[in-house]
């Protein structure tokens, strides 16, 4: 049976996901077989496993940090928002149903057996399980139906470390208030707290830490400094990356739509110093880009309506006429076509809506979701480039005679479309830019269009990503109180739930 520890937070974006990733890497470095676990995740960033199942990107990052293959056992429930009050529920990697928030909360207890089964399977396979909570355990209005914070801690019988974010301000009040809102039995599970994203002289923080330790009776297990420019996938859309800009030779714009999904497709560009990747949500910001990408979408039809209503579609047409490349990924590929038909009303009450019309293609939405890892050969400039990625889409796209397929896939299908003359391309492959040779070719093509010298060096994304996990782990390892944490781990329960 695995030893286990859970990291809960005083709120969202306090650093729980990266803390779990760091602990997974550290334990892996020490020779242990370790797995992450999060019972329920809510995010539009998702991933398809080797067996064709869908899970949250955060647990993929944590699995990579642990040097293991991602599995839906690590994230049995994924909620993908389809509106402000509803989500598509992914259970064990497959679509369960679309549910309004009230219905989901009323029926969450039905999902507990699936959570227990996933956890118990991991429990038999690993030395350690590092568990991530969601939001805050002090959301007392949700406690009666909780399956991801203290409800989960009770279910799997684990101790808890509370994570607070000092960068937001008010960290001592957040830690104290969170602890005091817990029930006495829940407080007994809380064995320590840590402070994340600290900048400055830690000695100035110590008086407050000692006071909090006295008030709630649990120790501080570490003060983790703010890590500048960490190039690791964000969990969801609550991220600072949308505001990030830098000076670089090439500017790639990603159209930021309300239901944008899998912006993790673009994390790799953080490692290309000659590229500035910017998320644009104003029409006036489009023209200055050297290339424009329309990303994936959880609701393609609503995002298409957004482009029209905000004047973004007109700006995209103007950009197109300037002779620069436009690319669509998944839902963005569908939007580049002439029409999107939804006869089964998967996304809309409308049966047909117009796309941007920049590709001779038509999409028909389908009830069944395609979830598969794929690979193939991309044909560009008379070169064949091996690529791999994963598909997550509800709909099939048919090409007209004026465009060619973009990728010849290993499973015998054709993917995407490319119009060389008009410089428009699209694909269903998420992770397409993670392919080093293709990304290098694309950047050099953009450099050539600006009269810049070609870059001979090809960057290995997998190598640089591993180095980022090592950097994260080293910072956490250097600033955590390991004797305290190890004592908690050594006392951890080893049982099934």
């Amino acid at each position: 049976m695995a030893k286990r520890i859970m990291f809960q937070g005083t709120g969202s974006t306090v650093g729980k996901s990266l803390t779990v990733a760091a602990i997974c890497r550290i334990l892996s470095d020490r020779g242990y077989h370790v797995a992450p676990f999060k019972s329920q995740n809510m995010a539009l960033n998702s991933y398809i496993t080797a067996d064709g199942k869908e899970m949250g990107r955060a647990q993929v990052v944590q699995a990579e940090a642990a040097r293991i293959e991602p599995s839906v056992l690590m994230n049995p429930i994924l909620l993908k928002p389809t509106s402000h009050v509803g989500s598509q529920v992914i259970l064990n990697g497959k679509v369960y149903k679309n549910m309004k928030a009230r219905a989901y909360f009323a029926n969450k207890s039905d999902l507990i057996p699936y959570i227990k089964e996933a956890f118990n399977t991991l429990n038999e396979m690993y030395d350690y399980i590092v568990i991530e909570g969601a939001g805050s355990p002090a959301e007392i209005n949700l406690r009666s139906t909780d399956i991801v914070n203290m409800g989960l801690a009770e279910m799997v019988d684990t101790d808890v470390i509370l994570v607070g974010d000092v960068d937001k301000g008010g960290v001592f009040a957040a830690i104290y208030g969170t602890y005091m809102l817990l029930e006495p039995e829940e407080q007994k599970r809380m064995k320590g707290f840590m402070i994340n994203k600290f900048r400055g002289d830690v000695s100035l923080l110590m008086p407050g830490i000692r006071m909090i330790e006295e008030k709630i009776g649990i120790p501080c297990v570490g003060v983790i400094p703010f890590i500048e420019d960490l190039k690791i996938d964000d969990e969801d859309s609550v991220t600072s990356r949308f505001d990030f800009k830098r000076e670089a030779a090439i500017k790639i714009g990603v159209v930021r739509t309300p239901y944008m999904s899998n912006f993790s497709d673009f994390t790799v560009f953080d490692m290309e110093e000659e590229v500035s990747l910017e998320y644009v949500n104003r029409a006036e910001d489009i023209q200055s880009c050297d290339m424009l990408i329309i990303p994936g979408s959880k609701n393609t039809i609503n995002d298409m309506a957004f482009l029209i209503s905000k004047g973004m579609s007109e700006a995209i047409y103007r950009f197109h006429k300037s002779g620069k490349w436009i690319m669509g990924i998944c839902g963005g590929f569908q939007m580049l076509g002439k029409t999107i038909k939804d006869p089964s009303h998967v996304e809309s009450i409308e049966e047909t809506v117009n796309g941007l019309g920049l590709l001779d293609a038509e999409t028909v939405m389908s009830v069944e979701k395609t979830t598969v890892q794929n690979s193939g050969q991309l044909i560009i400039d008379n070169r064949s480039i091996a690529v791999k990625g994963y598909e997550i889409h509800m709909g099939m796209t048919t090409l007209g005679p004026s465009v060619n397929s973009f990728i010849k896939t290993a499973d015998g299908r054709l993917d995407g479309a490319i119009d060389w003359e008009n410089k428009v391309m699209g694909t269903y492959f998420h992770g397409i830019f993670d392919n080093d040779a293709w990304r290098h070719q694309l950047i050099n093509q953009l450099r050539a269009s600006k009269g810049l010298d070609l870059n001979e060096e090809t960057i290995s994304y997998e190598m640089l990503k591993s180095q980022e996990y090592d950097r994260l782990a080293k910072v956490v390892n250097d600033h955590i109180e390991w004797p305290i944490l190890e004592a908690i781990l050594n006392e951890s329960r080893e049982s099934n739930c």
Side-chain angles (χ1 to χ4, degrees):
M1 300 295 178
K3 294 182 178 180
R4 73 285 308 258
I5 188 67
M6 185 174 193
F7 290 88
Q8 297 181 11
T10 57
S12 297
T13 71
V14 299
K16 298 186 296 293
S17 296
L18 289 180
T19 298
V20 169
I23 299 300
C24 283
R25 189 65 155 201
I26 292 166
L27 290 172
S28 174
D29 286 341
R30 295 183 175 193
Y32 295 109
H33 200 36
V34 54
F37 184 78
K38 186 169 184 176
S39 57
Q40 171 195 287
N41 205 342
M42 176 178 281
L44 289 177
N45 280 353
S46 62
Y47 176 81
I48 301 302
T49 62
D51 56 354
K53 296 178 180 178
E54 188 173 5
M55 62 183 291
R57 288 288 310 191
Q59 281 61 64
V60 174
V61 165
Q62 292 159 359
E64 290 176 346
R67 300 183 177 94
I68 59 173
E69 186 71 20
S71 164
V72 294
L73 294 171
M74 303 164 191
N75 175 214
I77 302 169
L78 174 63
L79 306 179
K80 301 188 75 173
T82 55
S83 68
H84 293 305
V85 294
S87 294
Q88 182 183 73
V89 181
I90 309 295
L91 178 62
N92 286 336
K94 296 297 181 181
V95 176
Y96 176 58
K97 59 179 71 174
N98 289 333
M99 301 181 74
K100 298 292 186 184
R102 184 178 295 275
Y104 177 72
F105 281 101
N107 293 278
K108 276 199 294 185
S109 60
D110 296 341
L111 304 179
I112 290 176
Y114 299 98
I115 295 172
K116 288 183 175 181
E117 182 179 6
F119 184 87
N120 287 338
T121 303
L122 292 178
N123 197 25
E124 300 285 346
M125 298 167 59
Y126 291 91
D127 301 320
Y128 287 94
I129 301 175
V130 187
I131 308 165
E132 180 186 349
S136 164
E139 292 163 348
I140 53 178
N141 55 312
L142 306 177
R143 177 60 182 94
S144 62
T145 60
D146 176 53
I147 57 174
V148 69
N149 284 309
M150 280 299 178
L152 178 64
E154 180 180 349
M155 194 187 308
V156 303
D157 193 17
T158 184
D159 291 327
V160 177
I161 304 294
L162 183 64
V163 182
D165 178 3
V166 70
D167 199 48
K168 285 185 172 67
V171 69
F172 295 128
I175 291 170
Y176 181 79
T178 299
Y179 182 86
M180 295 306 293
L181 283 171
L182 300 178
E183 295 296 326
E185 289 303 311
E186 296 169 341
Q187 290 177 347
K188 291 178 182 178
R189 293 189 180 277
M190 195 73 72
K191 295 300 172 68
F193 66 90
M194 59 187 292
I195 294 177
N196 212 357
K197 306 181 189 179
F198 182 72
R199 309 172 195 249
D201 184 349
V202 72
S203 66
L204 300 177
L205 200 64
M206 293 312 296
I209 289 174
R210 297 297 173 242
M211 290 177 66
I212 291 295
E213 288 177 328
E214 292 176 5
K215 286 181 178 295
I216 63 178
I218 59 175
C220 177
V221 301
V223 178
I224 312 302
F226 189 94
I227 307 174
E228 296 288 348
D229 194 25
L230 190 62
K231 300 177 181 69
I232 294 177
D233 282 343
D234 295 83
E235 180 179 11
D236 53 32
S237 57
V238 186
T239 175
S240 60
R241 107 172 25 249
F242 293 153
D243 300 319
F244 178 75
K245 296 179 181 180
R246 66 181 175 194
E247 293 297 322
I250 302 297
K251 179 180 176 181
I252 297 177
V254 177
V255 179
R256 184 180 172 188
T257 56
Y259 292 96
M260 176 177 62
S261 65
N262 283 72
F263 62 80
S264 51
D265 285 336
F266 315 116
T267 303
V268 62
F269 287 114
D270 293 349
M271 303 188 185
E272 296 279 3
E273 293 184 359
E274 60 185 326
V275 174
S276 172
L277 186 127
E278 298 182 12
Y279 293 86
V280 295
N281 58 3
R282 300 187 309 170
E284 56 266 32
D285 294 333
I286 288 178
Q287 199 61 38
S288 63
C289 299
D290 299 309
M291 177 183 177
L292 193 66
I293 300 172
I294 304 176
S297 171
K298 189 64 193 74
N299 194 314
T300 303
I301 291 176
N302 280 354
D303 277 346
M304 185 66 234
F306 168 82
L307 294 182
I308 295 171
S309 66
K310 298 299 182 181
M312 300 285 280
S313 58
E314 291 298 326
I316 292 170
Y317 293 139
R318 290 192 295 271
F319 184 87
H320 174 60
K321 289 177 181 178
S322 71
K324 299 176 183 178
W325 276 100
I326 299 177
M327 183 174 185
I329 299 177
C330 198
F333 168 40
Q334 296 173 343
M335 284 183 257
L336 286 174
K338 292 181 176 179
T339 58
I340 305 167
K341 296 183 178 181
D342 192 5
S344 301
H345 304 290
V346 174
E347 290 189 355
S348 171
I349 60 172
E350 302 289 338
E351 292 204 0
T352 302
V353 298
N354 291 326
L356 292 165
L358 297 181
L359 283 173
D360 184 8
E362 177 184 277
T363 296
V364 179
M365 290 294 177
S366 54
V367 175
E368 295 297 320
K369 179 186 279 194
T370 297
T371 58
V372 63
Q373 284 190 8
N374 216 333
S375 62
Q377 297 292 320
L378 186 154
I379 310 300
I380 185 167
D381 285 349
N382 297 317
R383 285 183 61 201
S384 177
I385 301 175
V387 294
K388 62 181 180 178
Y390 53 97
E391 301 179 40
I392 317 170
H393 54 94
M394 303 184 79
M396 302 300 294
T397 300
T398 304
L399 306 186
S402 64
V403 293
N404 295 316
S405 298
F406 191 47
I407 299 171
K408 296 179 181 179
T409 65
D411 59 8
R413 296 185 293 115
L414 297 174
D415 171 80
I418 187 161
D419 183 339
W420 289 103
E421 181 179 354
N422 294 299
K423 294 187 176 179
V424 185
M425 55 186 165
T427 179
Y428 276 117
F429 273 36
H430 290 289
I432 186 70
F433 300 115
D434 295 358
N435 296 280
D436 299 329
W438 152 241
R439 187 180 67 256
H440 180 71
Q441 170 81 11
L442 175 66
I443 293 173
N444 268 343
Q445 189 170 330
L446 295 175
R447 290 183 68 87
S449 70
K450 300 185 72 173
L452 301 172
D453 293 337
L454 301 187
N455 192 335
E456 297 300 324
E457 182 183 2
T458 301
I459 293 174
S460 169
Y461 180 43
E462 287 300 319
M463 182 186 73
L464 292 177
K465 185 164 57 171
S466 183
Q467 290 174 357
E468 287 297 284
Y469 293 143
D470 288 340
R471 181 162 74 101
L472 169 66
K474 184 178 188 311
V475 172
V476 173
N477 190 53
D478 289 348
H479 293 86
I480 207 162
E481 298 293 338
W482 270 106
I484 299 175
L485 187 57
E486 284 181 326
I488 297 169
L489 285 169
N490 288 334
E491 294 173 2
S492 126
R493 290 80 163 174
E494 297 181 4
S495 61
N496 281 324
C497 60

